[in-house]
Amino acid sequence: MTSPADPHAGGGAVEQQKKLKLLAVTACPTGIAHTYMAAEKLQQAADAAGIDMKVETQGSIGAENVLTDNDVKAADGIIIAADKDVDRARFAGKRVLSVGVSEGISHPEQLIERVQSAPVAGSEGGGAQEAAASGGKERSAAYKALMNGVSFMIPFVVVGGLLIAVSLAIGGHATPDGIQIPKDTFWFNVNALGTLGFKLMLPIFSGYIAYALGDRPALVPGMIGGFLAADASIYGSDANAGFLGAIVTGFLAGYIVIAIRKIKVPKAIQPIMPIIVVPIASTLAVGLAFIYILGGPISWVFTHLTDFLGGMTGSSAVLLGALIGLMIAFDMGGPVNKTAFLFAVGLIGTNNAVMGMAAAAIPVMPLGQGLATMIRRKLYTDAEREAGIAALFMGCFGISEGAIPFAAARPAQVIPANMLGGAVAGAIAGLCGVEDSVPHGGPIVAVFGAISGLAWFFIAIVAGTVITAVTTNALVGVSNRRAAAKQAAADSAKPAGAEAALAGATPAVAAESAPEPAHATASVASASASASLQAATASATASGAAEAEEASAAADEAAEPEVLSGYLTDRTVKVQLDAQDKEAAIREMAGLAAGTGKVPDMEELVQTALRREEQGTTGLGEEIAIPHAKTDAVTAPVVCFARSDEGIEWGSLDGTKARLVFMISVPEAAAGDEHLRILALLSRKLMDTDFRARLQAAPDEAAILRVLAEVQ
């Protein structure tokens, strides 16, 4: 347990003489630009005020400058400038101010002043309620919690789905009971591993929603609630609650924990609250509420939907197919989906057409969401596009769970689109008499010869997939425009500054993460190169201009591979851009990259960079722009730098023109690796006003390289 924060009332002479010691943690969802800019701004403000400060950055390359127990013990306060969940348990007993990361960039001096009177964090580390009390944005807590659950769930969906798909494709064969894999075979074991991944999917999803809201005490009730959502046998139903049930249990667990922690208890009980009392009480509350309150309605829905469908078997095949498709697409494993699926399975042998309707609808959701990420890539982050590829693969094998991460992240847009596509696929299959003789869906059943009406089966799937993708993108686009309009309205009410200037930088680095490689050798070599430059200058003074030029050239050649890990050389530096607009500047800088011989397709590099600009400006404000491209149009990472004395309009929200322009180009295989470290280092260093001034004033390429060599 850390020591309580010192009171700041009184302001006596002894307290005035004591040097204030503050800590900070900065983090943004993407983990790059904002994280390091906020850290640098806070550090600069503390240095200017004569305050001792240490800042931990939680970026995509991992936590750096990590705060130790001794740091926390000696601290007078902690500033958390973050737009994602940060564990506060280690700050118990200390004054904690929690704000968004943009506040750390735009108002560091105010944060340093406010933290001195911030509330003291409770012994359980705080949660959403403490964030609200100390200046955090409570209205975004639910969204951040949902995204936290989605991010932890995605690996389980991908791994489980792909293992099941591969095992079915290679080791499976069609039987009246579905596609089966012989026991005691290699592919049976692979399938079992994939199934285990799927079993963990909903508990992980629910658990980490709860964790984001209520910290570690909420993890147990959240995960147990997720198991209840995935296993209907406990409350006597044939259909589990699916991912929608997991969302309910996650939020329920999180908010129950928050409520329990508000209860005042004797000091003797306080130490055991977070490890015994809160987890047990919240688990009982969530579990019993789910079994006795939610389980009954879920079972009722399943029973009555089954009866309803049973009464429709003689009605129009088109209407029945549309209804089956709607239900299959609604909750992807929940009671509505399971009702339609089991109803269709129960009619195999007597009416295979109903299973044909379900089989056509089953793959539409993952295929549609995967296609959506491909046809309008700018609407999605890199992580979502990668999940989209996995969803396409899973859809081919009738694994509808591949669409769950998309539905969980954007339920208002994705679920209606899924239902529309599923209804179209089911209706077409019903109209054209498609039949399926095994209890499974997707193109894989056609491969095993279980489908009659094969051509119409694929037409139904394609039609549903396209409609799902187009509708999803349309709804996501509308949602994004509304959000942008609200943000613009909010920004217009704020003074122009770094917060507004840097708001557009987030998309530039969305969803990219990678471990940081070691660069000790490069740092030593860079230091040696700097020493060589100094030696060259001394030689010039003693031996004349000709000898100095030769020595300087040799030194520059030695230093060249070490600037920004060798990605930026004198061939990729230009003192003055000829371009007058953004597109021309990108094209000109792509020409610099092409001069290295690492760009076999310059036009594709240009177009990739321009497409990136369509997602959101890479103008960071402070007269800085960092356009970048991830494409196989380059064979190795290349960094270019150029200046513009007049400045180029880059769409920066602070209204400044870009005068310092970096362009980072990486091949697909290198994406998420070394270039993230370079971008993080640049983001931090470029917040140094003196560094920018020296970079702007450097007279030639060699001088520019010497300044940039400071980026370590």
Side-chain angles (χ1 to χ4, degrees), residues 409-434:
R410 297 185 177 95
Q413 293 80 38
V414 171
I415 292 178
N418 284 348
M419 292 174 67
L420 181 59
V424 169
I428 293 175
L431 176 65
C432 301
V434 173

Side-chain angles (χ1 to χ4, degrees), residues 66-389:
V66 176
L67 306 179
T68 66
D69 290 342
N70 288 335
D71 292 330
V72 175
K73 185 176 181 180
D76 296 296
I78 294 95
I79 299 170
I80 299 176
D83 286 339
K84 69 177 186 178
D85 186 54
V86 173
D87 184 7
R88 295 177 173 84
R90 53 185 168 155
F91 304 138
K94 293 294 180 179
R95 298 187 183 277
V96 177
L97 176 68
S98 181
V99 298
V101 69
S102 61
E103 288 292 307
I105 299 170
S106 55
H107 304 119
E109 296 86 0
Q110 295 179 18
L111 299 185
I112 289 174
E113 183 177 341
R114 288 168 56 193
V115 73
Q116 299 176 50
S117 58
V120 176
S123 60
E124 297 172 30
Q129 77 281 16
E130 285 184 8
S134 57
K137 298 180 181 178
E138 175 64 17
R139 64 179 182 176
S140 65
Y143 175 78
K144 286 159 58 176
L146 184 62
M147 292 301 99
N148 195 58
V150 170
S151 66
F152 280 98
M153 173 181 65
I154 285 177
F156 291 87
V157 176
V158 173
V159 171
L162 295 184
L163 288 179
I164 291 173
V166 170
S167 61
L168 288 176
I170 300 176
H173 60 276
T175 71
D177 296 326
I179 301 175
Q180 300 289 332
I181 302 173
K183 291 185 178 180
D184 300 324
T185 64
F186 173 79
W187 293 112
F188 180 86
N189 293 328
V190 171
N191 185 271
L193 291 175
T195 302
L196 181 59
F198 268 8
K199 286 182 178 179
L200 291 171
M201 174 180 67
L202 294 186
I204 291 293
F205 182 36
S206 176
Y208 280 96
I209 290 175
Y211 177 81
L213 291 170
D215 294 305
R216 280 180 290 184
L219 191 59
V220 171
M223 286 195 170
I224 290 177
F227 269 108
L228 287 172
D231 186 357
S233 62
I234 297 176
Y235 46 87
S237 174
D238 291 328
N240 61 44
F243 83 95
L244 293 177
I247 291 176
V248 172
T249 57
F251 280 107
L252 187 62
Y255 286 120
I256 286 176
V257 167
I258 290 173
I260 293 175
R261 290 196 313 206
K262 290 181 179 179
I263 300 173
K264 293 183 178 180
V265 298
K267 289 185 178 180
I269 299 178
Q270 286 180 358
I272 65 172
M273 284 291 289
I275 58 174
I276 298 177
V277 177
V278 174
I280 291 177
S282 57
T283 298
L284 285 172
V286 172
L288 296 177
F290 200 88
I291 293 172
Y292 290 108
I293 298 175
L294 297 178
I298 291 171
S299 179
W300 183 91
V301 167
F302 177 79
T303 302
H304 285 76
L305 280 177
T306 303
D307 293 340
F308 173 72
L309 288 174
M312 290 190 64
T313 53
S315 56
S316 169
V318 175
L319 179 60
L320 180 59
L323 184 58
I324 291 288
L326 281 171
M327 295 173 67
I328 287 289
F330 175 67
D331 53 2
M332 288 161 286
V336 177
N337 168 282
K338 193 65 71 176
T339 296
F341 180 74
L342 293 181
F343 174 75
V345 170
L347 292 176
I348 290 178
T350 59
N351 188 352
N352 289 352
V354 180
M355 191 63 225
M357 301 168 191
I362 284 171
V364 162
M365 299 83 75
L367 292 177
Q369 296 307 317
L371 180 62
T373 65
M374 297 182 67
I375 60 179
R376 290 196 66 184
R377 295 175 62 84
K378 68 179 182 179
L379 293 178
Y380 301 92
T381 65
D382 285 347
E384 288 173 322
R385 289 194 289 268
E386 291 167 3
I389 294 173

Side-chain angles (χ1 to χ4, degrees), residues 425-473:
I428 293 175
L431 176 65
C432 301
V434 173
E435 294 185 356
D436 179 11
S437 60
V438 299
H440 199 82
I444 185 66
V445 295
V447 174
F448 288 112
I451 296 294
S452 63
L454 192 61
W456 286 111
F457 176 68
F458 280 104
I459 289 172
I461 292 175
V462 170
T465 297
V466 171
I467 288 174
T468 296
V470 171
T471 305
T472 297
N473 285 339

